[in-house]
Amino acid sequence: MIISEEDRRILGIWAADCAERVLPLFDQKAPGDTRPREAIEGIRSYACGQMRKGPLRSPAFAALAAARDITDPTAADQRRCGA
């Protein structure tokens, strides 16, 4: 299924909202690591039409790397579950 650009932007806002809700948990484990916050800002910029989707890949992959860098056992369990 192919989704429209408008729907992709709406999904981006939803994803950013979800990620922001758990960002304080990440910040507790990795204070000062800005990669997830930068990815959230990027998707919000895309959703507002200020950024194209191609440049979002770098901050998205950086945020995934930040999640892998957390050595907390609970975080590892969440990653295995796709959270």
Side-chain angles (χ1 to χ4, degrees), residues 1 4 6 9 20 25 32 34 37 44 50 64 66 69-70 81:
M1 178 177 160
S4 70
E6 181 181 348
R9 292 179 192 280
E20 277 184 336
L25 299 173
T34 61
R37 191 172 307 281
R44 289 202 184 282
Q50 299 170 342
L64 288 171
D69 290 346
I70 300 293
C81 293

Side-chain angles (χ1 to χ4, degrees), residues 8-10 12-13 42-51 56:
R8 192 174 283 124
R9 292 179 192 280
I10 291 168
I13 292 169
I43 193 64
R44 289 202 184 282
S45 292
Y46 166 75
C48 293
Q50 299 170 342
M51 178 186 280
L56 289 175

Side-chain angles (χ1 to χ4, degrees), residues 3-79:
I3 64 171
S4 70
E5 191 70 17
E6 181 181 348
D7 286 344
R8 192 174 283 124
R9 292 179 192 280
I10 291 168
L11 286 171
I13 292 169
W14 174 78
D17 288 346
C18 291
E20 277 184 336
R21 291 183 64 183
V22 297
L23 193 57
L25 299 173
F26 177 84
D27 289 340
Q28 287 176 356
K29 300 294 179 179
D33 190 339
T34 61
R35 294 176 290 180
R37 191 172 307 281
E38 290 167 1
I40 292 168
E41 290 170 3
I43 193 64
R44 289 202 184 282
S45 292
Y46 166 75
C48 293
Q50 299 170 342
M51 178 186 280
R52 297 178 52 91
K53 64 184 172 190
L56 289 175
R57 288 186 181 106
S58 291
F61 287 133
L64 288 171
R68 284 192 304 269
D69 290 346
I70 300 293
T71 57
D72 180 82
T74 303
D77 289 341
Q78 290 171 337
R79 284 191 302 274

